[in-house]
Amino acid sequence: MKELLIIIVGSALVNNVVLSQFLGLCPFLGVSRKIKTAAGMGAAVIFVITISSAITSLLYNYVLVKLDLEYLQTIVFIIVIAALVQFVEMVLKKNSPALYNSLGVYLPLITTNCAVLGVALLNVTKGYSLISGVANGFGTACGFTVAIVILAGIRERIEHNDIPESFKGTPIVLVTAGLMAIAFIGFSGII
């Protein structure tokens, strides 16, 4: 149990997928305009990364390794991720049309989000068991959600501030993300 907690905290805070590994920046920067939208994207990413970590671990260990087809791991992982994203998209479209519309093009982009594929590949590379891989996926997704919601909160607040013209828009968002990355370095002493 202690090992799983270390994996979750480590992947969420110490090795934050967005602020330390710089994976998944497209939705991080694109969907972080409003807290509600960022939280919705975070929930979708938590679901997709956690479930895909379990499914890809099972497929890798019990199908690809057994059939000596490890070289197909990237293709198989992308197919699994794409199927999960389609499922999430259908559920959101039916149950939460407002969130579905606010996420827009970024929801299908979870399929190509390198953070999702990166977690699946990292689980295989590190030789995580099924449970450890799911814990790593869940922690990574929670770290992504924390980072995107914090950035959205900051963006909502700085929207009403007097910012120099040359910093408006993307530049101030990148400066903010850089400062957040520096702040997250402080978590490196936890484990």
Side-chain angles (χ1 to χ4, degrees):
M1 188 64 174
K2 183 179 178 183
E3 179 185 326
L4 294 178
L5 186 60
I6 289 171
I7 290 173
I8 291 171
V9 170
S11 59
L13 299 176
V14 178
N15 298 315
N16 187 283
V17 71
V18 177
L19 301 173
S20 295
Q21 299 175 13
F22 308 111
L23 298 173
L25 290 176
C26 180
F28 177 68
L29 297 174
V31 183
S32 60
R33 295 183 202 280
K34 301 287 179 201
I35 292 176
K36 186 175 181 180
T37 307
M41 174 59 88
V45 168
I46 287 173
F47 177 81
V48 170
I49 289 181
T50 304
I51 301 301
S52 69
S53 292
I55 294 172
T56 56
S57 177
L58 291 171
L59 284 173
Y60 182 79
N61 291 319
Y62 297 108
V63 177
L64 297 178
V65 171
K66 299 283 187 204
L67 298 174
D68 199 31
L69 297 172
E70 293 95 344
Y71 61 91
L72 293 175
Q73 71 184 9
T74 305
I75 295 169
V76 171
F77 292 176
I78 289 172
I79 290 169
V80 168
I81 292 164
L84 284 170
V85 170
Q86 287 301 311
F87 176 74
V88 168
E89 195 171 357
M90 290 185 315
V91 168
L92 283 179
K93 190 173 187 178
K94 182 171 176 73
N95 296 326
S96 182
L99 180 58
Y100 174 79
N101 290 330
S102 66
L103 290 174
V105 72
Y106 293 101
L107 185 59
L109 281 178
I110 295 175
T111 303
T112 59
N113 185 343
C114 55
V116 181
L117 180 60
V119 169
L121 294 173
L122 189 65
N123 289 342
V124 169
T125 304
K126 288 192 172 187
Y128 282 149
S129 67
L130 173 65
I131 294 172
S132 296
V134 171
N136 182 50
F138 178 73
T140 300
C142 287
F144 175 86
T145 303
V146 166
I148 196 171
V149 168
I150 290 172
L151 182 63
I154 293 170
R155 285 181 76 174
E156 281 186 4
R157 296 203 54 145
I158 64 174
E159 185 177 300
H160 305 292
N161 291 342
D162 187 26
I163 299 170
E165 193 63 37
S166 60
F167 278 101
K168 286 186 178 176
T170 305
I172 194 68
V173 174
L174 293 175
V175 168
T176 304
L179 292 172
M180 285 176 59
I182 292 170
F184 267 67
I185 290 173
F187 291 118
S188 63
I190 290 179
I191 51 175

